[in-house]
Amino acid sequence: MTMLRSIFITSLVLLVASCGGNNSNDTLAQGNGGANTAQSGQCKHHNPNRQAFFGDLHVHTVYSLDANTQGTIVDPHDAYRFAKGERLGIQPYLEDGTATRFTQLARPLDFAAVTDHAELFGEVEICTNPDYLEYNLPECQIYRQSPENAFLLFNFLQLGLPELPSFPIPDGLPIISELPVLGADGRIPRLAFCGALDTNLGILAGATCLEAAKTPWRDIQAAAENHNDRSDDCDFSTFVAYEYTAAPLSNNLHRNVIFKTAVVPEIPPAYQENPHPELLWKTLSEECSKEAGCEYLTIPHNSNLSAGLMFETKDRFNNNYTAEFATTRQLNEPLAEIYQHKGQSECLGTTGAGANDELCGFELIPYNNLTGDRFGGLNTGDPLPGDFLREAMKDGLKLQKDLGVNPFKYGLIGSSDTHLGTPGNVEETPFPGHGGAGENPADGIEGLTDVIEASPGGLAVLYAEENTRESLFDAMRRREAYATSGTRPIVRFFGGWDIPANACGRSDFVDLGYANGVPMGGDLAAQPSDNAAPIFAVSALRDPGGTGVSSEPLQRIQIIKGWVDADGEKHEEVFEVAGDPNNGASVDTQTCQTSGPGFANLCSVWTDNNFEPEQHAFYYARVVENPSCRWSTHQCVAAAVDCDAPETVPEAFANCCNADYPKTIQERAWTSPIWYQPAP
Amino acid sequence: MKHLLLKLAGEPLLHFTLLGAVLFASQDVWLPLLQPTTITVSQADSQRLLAQWQRDTGKQANRETVSALIQQYIDEEVLLHEARWLGLQARDPVVRERLIRNMRFVEQNQQRDDAALLDAALALGMLETDLVVRRRLLQRMRHRIEAQAAMTTAEVDAYFKRHAQHFAKPPRFTFQQLYFSHNASEKRLAAQSAIAAGASEETLGKLGEPFLLGNKLQNLSQDEIERQLGPEIAQAIVQAMPGEWIGPINSIYGQHLLRLEIITKSEPPRFADVRREVIARFYAEREDATLRATLLQLRKRYKVEIEPPRQEAS
């Protein structure tokens, strides 16, 4: 049997090779059509003053084995359909494959990226290690001799064995019958990017389709291609993306890698081959070059669970940062995910001048790595201040002072990290849990839908001229982005030296912001005169809610300043700039009814009167809503849990009465900072 | 194409290939006859499937449930047997890495090489018992089968025509607004008077209060208006007559005087714009059908023995 197979395979491969090797590794670049996205200015809604687009850049589907083994069968195509507003069945499933739970977004997203764990894609079969048994298999010999043809072979095997009913192949099986050169013949190769365009039919055909066997990475790319709206309606954008899953000893160094176009590496660089982030960046820079039409950025998340690793001020050899290394980090990572299902990474609120920032208690995970409370806390500990972005950004200022470059110059986004394949499903109610690990996986089973410390996660908001990959990606690069905890307030934040004090009363607020300052994510221009102080204008509209979505009014806007003084000491201060922290808004945690006044919109022009021109500084705005019930409280109320009568509380609702976790939250938005750098 | 085929016809290599192919393909016929594999579903298997299902769904199972779970299990076993027959356990990097890692964990003090560890893992039956390995092999097998789904352009055309409604785009609205917070009713009344008096657009523009999204909103669909300004405004705009001022309309932000300027009706969806999505949707359906049909075919190669489930599983 093996013998027969060998003969056949060997001859086939020789045949393919003798055909002139016309299927070289141009396959991905060729059919990808990165240029197919709407050209700038093509969208009907194009707005030169930019507009806020809401999305989710952290989504797991069936291709993440941790989601898969929890019962998620939602694939990337389903995930994008869900993001666009379609109803989706989620696990667990009945015996006939019917879902037991359904979920749907009340408000579809503008963009999304499926980011499955690359470490389990397993795109290339084992052929390169002589210790392995199959090193000498004929297909492996071919792989080593002619890797560019090997994918043809592997995929031929994938297609052909052993389901092949007979040979020669009947008409019904197009790909095989079109060997060795695939013609159109009215047949469409199975994946949308697998070949050149047939200009007559306007569909795909061509010689490269043997590589089109379905694998996770290819399916992820196909899903992104297929659901990216190319019409001038520009309704929805997708990104080809994946998660780089580095977590030495469960200390989280995860990053989502987002690609600008459909031109992407053939195999996504993963942790096994790139065991440090700087190696990831190196490999990406080699395999994703701008010249070839490939661009990328990486977005770290859950620094709160990195046990001190995410913002270490050393490289992997334990050397201090150099200017070059700091530049590399900044170029590769313009954004960080400040909030998601596994908590916020903004601030801990226990050290320094910000110790009295009570809003740092928001969705704070009580341990410092991915081990969580398993093993009795043996492999983890209390959260560490340096793992939070506010502290890291201050460290970044310090490094900038010393090196001239700030490695931790992060713009801010939120996302969900859903493992149900449900991007943007981030409202507190109904929250189906983030994966299959909840207490009550099916409707009708009682219990909290997730562990008590988890939460639904947030959204990424990008300021772009229009909803296309190109325009959104440029926004990420500019850091013109903000994060929300799942709600949809609209926030504008500008900084400059001559923003008029009456900006809030003018209808050209946004024009003024751009003309007289820089938007969130930008750098203040040099101080124009000795006594000049920077002025910040921040304006916010509350989440309007809508059919099936409740929303709360705004409570206040704060500006948070971080700076480093002449001695290199780090400082931070929270300024109340609009609204009223003591507006008396409240929630009845027995009913989740909210009450008290709030603001439909807030606006402020604030001057930093303590400004010292020789101090490096950053400023970001935090827009805070009135309090509302946390997801767990909604579920506890619905189940009529009575903590005053502990004996009546079912085990699955025990955490309703866990005093370590708050009953209410204040939804919020965090803008990307604006930075100030003294003149050299 | 023709030219190439002619050229190939003279290639000795082609003859060799075809010969190999015929020999190879024929094993598909004789192999299952010679080696009918038996898949046994024990009572313990049934019990386990049932328990897992009840735990996941919280529902009571009936006789049909048990039977469907068993059939699903047999399908999976068939796919796993086929995967093994293909040697995927040795070639697939995820499976292999997982098995070797499992064995390293089990045999922490021994210094066996990868190949030996892999053999040991297989001997221990980890292909069946390790959840990750099992899922991975099933996924790969399903992909192989789904990859055989095919369709003609005519079928795609028909599918697109049948589902054109799904790909249609909504109309878009361009409108002007004058915004007033709830406590600015005097200003609002002044603006209404100015509108009634036929004031110029420029004059009117100065009468509203500033609103962060601006006073002119362009090319938004009803859904988008609702997401930005709330359902009341969206409703009012889609019902408005172009050119006329309407309002005040209450929103969560305050009061709005609105003037619809242009409605842009969307043209029928063009295939060129949506072809990828059309093909993807069609393929998804075809893949399911292909998988079901292939599983039926593959079943024929196996002998299935099911121990009757215990009576109490009612």
Side-chain angles (χ1 to χ4, degrees), chain A residues 1 4-5 7-8 11-12 14-15 18-19 31 36 44-45 62-63 65 68-69 71 77 81 84 86 92-95 100 107-108 110 120-122 124-126 131-134 137 139 157-159 161-165 167 172-174 180-181 186-190 192 197 201-204 214-216 225-227 229-231 233 235 272 441-442 445 488 490 492 504-507 509-510 539-547 551 600-601, chain B residues 1 4-5 8 11 13-14 16-18 20-25 27-31 53-59 62 64-65 68-69 72 82 85-86 88 90-94 96-97 100 114-115 118-119 131-132 135-136 139-141 143-153 156 166 169-170 172 179 210-213 215 218-220 224 226-231 252-253 264 266 271 273 275-277 279-281 283-284 287 294 298 301:
Chain A
M1 183 173 93
L4 284 178
R5 186 148 57 136
I7 293 171
F8 175 52
S11 56
L12 173 80
L14 291 173
L15 184 68
S18 75
C19 286
N36 282 332
K44 285 177 185 158
H45 61 223
V62 65
Y63 294 132
L65 275 172
N68 185 326
T69 51
H77 303 264
R81 286 160 74 152
K84 293 199 277 191
E86 288 186 32
Y93 297 89
L94 293 181
E95 70 282 2
T100 53
R107 297 184 284 192
D110 299 314
L120 295 167
F121 289 171
V124 173
E125 302 206 8
I126 307 287
D131 293 339
Y132 291 166
L133 294 168
E134 60 276 35
L137 284 180
E139 54 263 49
L157 288 174
Q158 301 237 345
L159 291 163
L161 303 179
E163 303 84 10
L164 219 60
F167 205 103
L173 293 173
V181 175
R187 301 224 172 253
I188 302 161
R190 62 178 313 285
L197 271 179
L201 295 168
I203 54 155
L204 291 157
K214 196 168 172 179
T215 68
E225 277 300 284
N226 295 334
H227 290 281
D229 184 8
R230 288 171 179 74
S231 74
D233 280 71
D235 276 336
Q272 294 101 325
I445 303 186
R488 298 195 182 193
I490 298 290
R492 290 277 195 175
C504 285
R506 292 175 56 163
S507 58
F509 178 91
V510 175
S539 182
L541 285 176
R542 68 170 285 183
D543 181 339
T547 316
S551 70
N601 44 31
Chain B
M1 177 83 190
L4 185 65
L5 285 179
L8 282 171
E11 287 276 340
L13 197 53
L14 178 70
F16 185 48
T17 305
L18 289 178
V22 169
L23 283 172
F24 172 72
Q27 58 184 337
D28 191 67
V29 178
W30 53 258
L31 194 81
W53 185 86
Q54 285 178 332
R55 201 186 62 211
D56 285 352
T57 65
K59 295 186 191 305
N62 56 27
E64 286 72 41
T65 311
L69 288 171
Q72 201 180 50
E82 295 286 322
W85 191 86
L86 287 166
L88 288 188
R91 291 214 312 273
D92 184 86
V94 173
R96 150 171 216 117
E97 208 170 292
I100 290 170
D114 285 357
L118 187 66
D119 283 344
L131 189 58
V132 169
R135 295 275 178 150
R136 171 73 184 182
Q139 181 180 84
R140 284 208 58 180
M141 289 308 295
H143 277 180
R144 296 166 74 93
I145 295 169
E146 286 167 358
Q148 295 179 26
M151 61 179 76
T152 65
T153 48
V156 172
H166 179 88
K169 299 283 187 180
R172 295 184 170 271
Y179 163 77
F211 192 75
L212 188 56
L213 294 174
N215 296 329
Q218 305 219 39
N219 271 311
L220 300 178
E224 287 169 347
E226 178 167 337
R227 272 185 258 161
Q228 296 189 10
L229 297 169
I252 206 156
Y253 300 112
T264 317
S266 282
F271 183 64
D273 284 339
R275 67 185 167 79
R276 287 162 192 265
E277 196 181 340
I279 291 173
R281 281 171 184 273
Y283 259 126
E287 283 177 345
T294 309
L298 290 176
R301 299 181 185 174

Side-chain angles (χ1 to χ4, degrees), chain A residues 334-357:
Chain A
L335 298 171
E337 194 182 286
I338 196 171
Y339 171 61
Q340 58 127 280
H341 144 82
K342 290 191 291 288
Q344 55 97 357
S345 298
E346 182 199 2
C347 52
L348 188 51
T350 55
T351 55
N356 54 1
D357 182 353

Side-chain angles (χ1 to χ4, degrees), chain B residues 52-196:
Chain B
Q52 163 97 29
W53 185 86
Q54 285 178 332
R55 201 186 62 211
D56 285 352
T57 65
K59 295 186 191 305
Q60 282 303 311
N62 56 27
R63 192 176 291 272
E64 286 72 41
T65 311
V66 179
S67 155
L69 288 171
I70 288 173
Q71 292 307 316
Q72 201 180 50
Y73 175 73
I74 295 167
D75 281 346
E76 290 190 356
E77 289 298 302
V78 166
L79 290 176
L80 288 174
H81 274 99
E82 295 286 322
R84 210 169 327 164
W85 191 86
L86 287 166
L88 288 188
Q89 69 278 15
R91 291 214 312 273
D92 184 86
V94 173
V95 169
R96 150 171 216 117
E97 208 170 292
R98 174 82 179 184
L99 293 176
I100 290 170
R101 217 174 53 188
N102 286 352
M103 288 311 294
R104 285 232 177 82
F105 184 76
V106 174
E107 304 187 352
Q108 283 183 8
N109 301 320
Q110 297 191 34
Q111 297 293 322
R112 296 213 270 174
D113 66 11
D114 285 357
L117 290 173
L118 187 66
D119 283 344
L122 294 174
L124 286 172
M126 281 189 189
L127 278 193
E128 284 78 22
T129 54
D130 184 287
L131 189 58
V132 169
V133 169
R134 195 181 163 92
R135 295 275 178 150
R136 171 73 184 182
L137 288 176
L138 289 173
Q139 181 180 84
R140 284 208 58 180
M141 289 308 295
R142 290 193 184 111
H143 277 180
R144 296 166 74 93
I145 295 169
E146 286 167 358
Q148 295 179 26
M151 61 179 76
T152 65
T153 48
E155 287 174 317
V156 172
D157 240 26
Y159 182 88
F160 173 59
K161 293 210 174 83
R162 224 166 38 243
H163 296 87
Q165 203 49 43
H166 179 88
F167 299 100
K169 299 283 187 180
R172 295 184 170 271
F173 303 87
T174 296
F175 62 96
Q176 219 178 327
Q177 68 163 342
L178 298 179
Y179 163 77
F180 305 91
S181 50
H182 283 297
N183 53 13
S185 49
E186 269 177 44
K187 279 190 197 169
R188 195 246 308 156
L189 288 170
Q192 280 177 280
S193 304
I195 288 170

